[in-house]
């Protein structure tokens, strides 16, 4: 049958962040007459309900949808995020920030880190590398302002993301997508039928008996991986040997003190705890390895670390780090937790959803033309690259620790590394060379932040950095650091900025009640 004039029927299973981001992007980017979108979600099952910290890319996604930033921030009780503060990762007492933005600037065509390490060797390095990042200094000062659009200005050298309430974000996108024609069905998928010849998915049967037929199925069913894992049988690639954390306890608490424009990730005996400031509460969690601590002790440690009264009982989530061997198989594409999960240390899951959605939109089959295996292969190649690059970066946080005598930390310090990470480490140790990807995460400055933060010092640097005299280098470094400090001193506090720009009425009410 020639159905070229028929729209391609896209069926999404799952109404968490992944489902609604997928639905919204398809509706925004592709013509309604070419693609119909149906999303099935189950109130009975619910969503994972965590995922509060993001990366700057989310702003590109929101802008693509045309969301009003202040309105979106009010609706999701959001705050700004300039980076992540890592406490006690190298050894107890040490802290560093991984900012969204640059360290220094290239001089004489040579990347900044070479000048920094040269100065360190010459004994004229007066500051930590952290002092050369606008994002770090602003975060440390609890300051916020929008980056300068003038690329020559030092105020353009950082960017920002958000902390938000994940449930409210999914609800926000849901309204946006439904208003633009996405059909939402509430119901539980109980049965799936496949074409006996091709193995492709044909239709889904809901608990109510309703059948939903599609041409392309997007599996956003969360950890269940209902379609890709359970029905298509795509194997799981397990990375527990590199990332041993496999559980998390999450609990919000009352917000106290200044509104910090950064996430905190503090290393603990058997993992790490997060602290995410929202307007109306603080999100907290303990990500841990069940090999090294039991659930009860982890819960005690989490509750002891809270800055305010817990709002409810901690919720336990079990997961395996890793990914499905292929995210796209036949006419089924998995996005979000259904395709893989890496611990939320660098807030990468929502980014991975966004990247997959954008790749899918770019490679989307045309109505009536079937699914081109070359496009499927390309999607899977990109997805694998994303996951492996992020995995290497996460592993990096663990391996160079000096927390001797703590079993988890002793294990990760001595475990065999992924080859791809080992290669990057060798290059850095030899010449301070940093990965420079054209696609995916993480950027050079991110690697620099964590490598130096974890106390890894290279043996050498690019000799082109010797172009300046040591005195000139010293002067440049001091000037650069002072320029940042002067600019940051003139910024608003993060709390004042939020209050003026996007304070949610609920947050205002609870602050007034507390006063
Ligand atoms: C501890 C933890 C902390 C995290 N922190 C962050 C973070 O800070 N930043 C970040 O980017 N990410 C974070 N994440 C990841 C983030 O939560 C997820 O990537 C994001 O919420 C997307 O989830 P999802 O939509 O894939 O799945 P879910 O939210 O689980 O949604 C699954 C959907 O599928 C539906 N469903 C399932 N089965 C059926 C069925 N049979 N029939 C009908 N519907 C069905 C459910 O009802 C639900 O609507 C974290 C994850 C964990 C576990």
């Amino acid at each position: 049958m020639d159905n070229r004039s028929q729209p391609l029927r896209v069926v999404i299973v799952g109404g968490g962040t992944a489902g609604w981001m997928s639905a919204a992007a398809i509706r925004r980017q592709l013509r309604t007459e070419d693609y119909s979108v149906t999303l099935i979600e189950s109130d009975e099952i619910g969503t994972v309900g965590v995922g509060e910290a993001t990366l700057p890319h989310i702003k590109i996604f929101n802008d693509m949808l045309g969301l009003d930033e202040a309105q979106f921030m009010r609706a999701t009780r959001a705050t700004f995020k300039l980076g992540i503060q890592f406490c006690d990762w190298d050894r107890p007492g040490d802290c560093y920030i991984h900012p969204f933005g640059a360290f220094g600037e290239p001089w004489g065509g040579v990347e900044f880190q070479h000048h920094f390490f040269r100065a360190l060797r010459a004994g004229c390095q007066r500051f930590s590398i952290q002092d050369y990042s606008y994002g770090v200094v602003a975060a440390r000062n609890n300051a916020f302002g929008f980056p300068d659009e003038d690329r020559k200005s030092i105020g353009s050298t950082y960017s920002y993301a958000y902390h938000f309430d994940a449930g409210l974000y999914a609800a926000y996108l849901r309204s946006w997508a439904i208003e633009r024609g996405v059909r939402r069905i509430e119901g539980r998928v109980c049965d799936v039928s496949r074409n006996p010849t091709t193995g492709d998915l044909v239709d889904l049967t809901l608990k109510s008996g309703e059948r939903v037929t599609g041409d392309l199925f997007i599996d956003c069913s969360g950890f269940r991986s209902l379609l890709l894992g359970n029905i298509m049988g795509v194997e799981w690639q397990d990375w527990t040997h590199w990332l041993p954390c496999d559980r998390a306890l999450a609990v919000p608490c009352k917000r106290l003190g200044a509104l910090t424009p950064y996430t905190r990730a503090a290393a603990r005996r058997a993992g790490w705890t997060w602290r995410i400031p929202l307007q109306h509460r603080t999100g907290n969690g303990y990500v841990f390895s069940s090999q090294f601590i039991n659930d009860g002790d982890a819960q005690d440690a989490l509750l002891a670390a809270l800055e305010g009264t817990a709002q409810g009982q901690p919720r336990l989530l079990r997961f395996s780090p890793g990914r499905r061997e292929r995210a796209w198989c036949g006419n089924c594409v998995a996005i979000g937790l259904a395709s893989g999960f890496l611990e939320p240390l660098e807030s990468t899951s929502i980014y991975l959803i966004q990247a997959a959605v954008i790749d899918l939109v770019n490679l989307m089959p045309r109505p009536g033309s079937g699914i081109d295996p070359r496009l499927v292969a390309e999607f899977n190649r990109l997805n694998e690259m994303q996951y492996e690059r992020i995995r290497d970066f996460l592993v990096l946080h663990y391996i160079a620790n000096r927390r001797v005598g703590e079993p988890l930390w002793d294990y990760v310090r001595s475990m065999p590394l992924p080859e791809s990470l080992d290669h990057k480490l060798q290059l850095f140790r030899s010449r301070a060379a940093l990965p420079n990807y054209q696609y995916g995460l993480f950027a050079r400055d991110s690697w620099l932040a964590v490598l130096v933060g974890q106390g890894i010092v290279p043996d050498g640097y690019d000799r082109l950095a010797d172009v300046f005299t040591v005195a000139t280098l010293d002067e440049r470094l001091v000037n650069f650091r002072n320029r940042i400090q002067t600019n940051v001193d003139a910024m608003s506090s993060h709390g004042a900025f939020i209050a003026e720009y996007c304070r949610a009425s609920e947050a205002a009410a609870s602050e007034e009640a507390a006063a």
Side-chain angles (χ1 to χ4, degrees):
M1 188 184 84
D2 180 2
N3 63 348
R4 256 172 298 179
S5 57
Q6 299 294 316
L8 187 127
R9 294 161 302 177
V10 178
V11 176
I12 300 173
V13 176
T17 315
W20 286 112
M21 282 179 80
S22 303
I26 293 171
R27 207 49 307 147
R28 176 72 183 86
Q29 298 282 71
L30 301 172
R31 296 190 331 161
T32 321
E33 45 284 36
D34 292 336
Y35 299 91
S36 70
V37 182
T38 302
L39 185 146
I40 304 165
E41 61 181 329
S42 161
D43 291 345
E44 192 183 311
I45 295 174
T47 64
V48 71
V50 276
E52 298 175 329
T54 61
L55 295 180
H57 309 73
I58 191 80
K59 177 162 165 43
I60 301 171
F61 187 85
N62 288 351
D63 288 350
M64 182 265 290
L65 298 183
L67 305 188
D68 177 271
E69 186 181 64
Q71 191 193 60
F72 139 79
M73 290 187 71
R74 269 193 295 275
T76 59
R77 317 287 188 263
T79 64
F80 291 103
K81 173 180 173 189
L82 293 169
I84 304 177
Q85 182 189 49
F86 290 93
C87 295
D88 309 325
W89 280 77
D90 177 13
R91 54 187 163 191
D94 285 356
C95 270
Y96 66 93
I97 290 179
H98 166 199
F100 301 136
F103 286 93
E105 58 187 358
W107 290 323
V110 181
E111 289 168 15
F112 179 76
Q113 78 273 13
H114 298 293
H115 299 293
F116 176 83
F117 289 118
R118 178 177 175 225
L120 200 64
R121 288 189 147 226
C124 73
Q125 189 55 263
R126 308 177 198 204
F127 308 109
S128 126
I129 193 135
Q130 296 266 295
D131 293 307
Y132 301 106
S133 159
Y134 199 119
V136 170
V137 179
R140 278 195 317 222
N141 283 28
N142 284 342
F144 188 78
F146 289 124
D148 203 326
E149 281 177 14
D150 175 2
R151 307 279 297 173
K152 287 192 233 102
S153 155
I154 199 164
S156 72
T157 58
Y158 68 98
S159 54
Y160 67 89
Y162 313 103
H163 303 117
F164 56 53
D165 183 318
L168 294 176
Y169 185 58
Y172 194 77
L173 292 182
R174 176 203 284 168
S175 312
W176 188 97
I178 289 173
E179 271 168 32
R180 286 159 184 81
V182 171
R183 178 176 170 230
R184 169 185 183 257
I185 303 176
E186 202 292 311
R188 185 178 188 137
V189 175
C190 293
D191 198 17
V192 181
S193 72
R194 299 175 74 179
N195 179 315
T197 315
T198 62
D200 277 356
L201 305 176
V202 177
D203 60 36
L204 311 177
T205 306
L206 308 187
K207 200 172 160 189
S208 62
E210 184 180 357
R211 282 170 70 168
V212 182
T213 309
D215 302 306
L216 182 75
F217 292 81
I218 307 185
D219 183 354
C220 297
S221 64
F223 285 133
R224 287 178 170 75
S225 197
L226 184 74
L227 304 180
L228 189 79
N230 292 359
I231 305 293
M232 305 302 275
V234 175
E235 293 287 326
W236 179 254
Q237 212 177 76
D238 187 82
W239 289 340
T240 312
H241 50 294
W242 289 314
L243 292 167
C245 289
D246 58 358
R247 287 188 191 189
L249 282 156
V251 68
C253 76
K254 190 173 157 51
R255 187 171 74 69
L256 295 178
L259 203 54
T260 52
Y262 54 85
T263 305
R264 179 177 301 141
R268 305 274 167 191
R269 180 162 72 83
W272 57 277
T273 52
W274 79 73
R275 175 187 173 279
I276 299 178
L278 304 184
Q279 290 192 40
H280 58 313
R281 60 172 163 79
T282 299
N284 307 279
Y286 188 176
V287 175
F288 59 96
S289 168
S290 59
Q291 293 173 60
F292 297 100
I293 195 170
N294 63 44
D295 297 350
D297 288 350
Q299 174 159 320
D300 292 345
L302 172 62
L303 293 175
L306 297 186
E307 65 186 16
T309 318
Q311 297 176 332
Q313 274 299 307
R315 205 156 60 84
L316 180 69
L317 297 125
R318 294 185 172 82
F319 58 85
S320 305
R323 59 181 282 272
R324 297 271 156 202
E325 299 271 3
R326 287 170 294 156
W328 188 336
C329 172
N331 66 342
C332 173
V333 188
I335 294 184
L337 299 174
S339 70
F341 182 62
L342 297 171
E343 61 182 74
L345 184 56
E346 285 282 356
S347 324
T348 43
S349 285
I350 294 174
Y351 163 81
L352 280 167
I353 294 170
Q354 178 178 347
V357 172
I358 299 307
D359 288 342
L360 175 61
V361 165
N362 289 337
L363 299 168
M364 187 60 106
R366 281 204 219 104
S369 66
I371 292 175
D372 183 339
R374 292 169 298 185
L375 302 185
V376 174
E378 177 61 1
F379 181 89
N380 286 333
R381 184 184 74 82
L382 294 173
N383 195 260
E384 180 178 347
M385 198 188 330
Q386 293 276 14
Y387 267 90
E388 289 187 355
R389 287 179 171 177
I390 292 172
R391 176 202 65 200
D392 283 0
F393 191 61
L394 297 184
V395 173
L396 170 69
H397 294 66
Y398 283 97
I399 54 176
N401 77 80
R402 282 177 274 187
R403 299 182 64 112
V404 177
E406 296 178 278
L408 166 76
W409 299 94
D410 289 343
Y411 166 76
V412 288
R413 209 174 36 251
S414 56
M415 69 189 173
L417 300 183
E419 260 175 52
S420 45
L421 174 58
D422 195 41
H423 175 69
K424 287 166 202 145
L425 273 173
Q426 300 307 339
L427 285 178
F428 182 73
R429 286 203 161 107
S430 155
R431 297 212 54 168
L434 296 166
N436 187 17
Y437 305 140
Q438 301 303 310
Y439 177 85
L441 300 177
F442 272 88
R444 260 195 312 236
D445 288 292
S446 295
W447 281 87
L448 184 61
V450 177
L451 284 159
V452 178
Q454 292 299 133
I456 303 174
V457 180
D459 302 329
Y461 57 85
D462 188 332
R463 288 286 154 188
L464 290 176
D466 290 336
V467 63
F468 302 115
T469 64
V470 168
T472 306
L473 179 58
D474 183 42
E475 194 185 323
R476 280 183 175 238
L477 287 166
V478 170
N479 282 343
F480 193 86
R481 183 257 178 202
N482 290 347
R483 271 166 67 206
I484 289 179
Q485 195 61 57
T486 308
N487 278 268
V488 169
D489 287 344
M491 290 169 89
S492 303
S493 80
H494 180 224
F497 197 96
I498 296 271
E500 189 162 326
Y501 182 66
C502 59
R503 178 148 68 165
S505 48
E506 193 185 291
S510 60
E511 267 168 33
E512 277 156 23

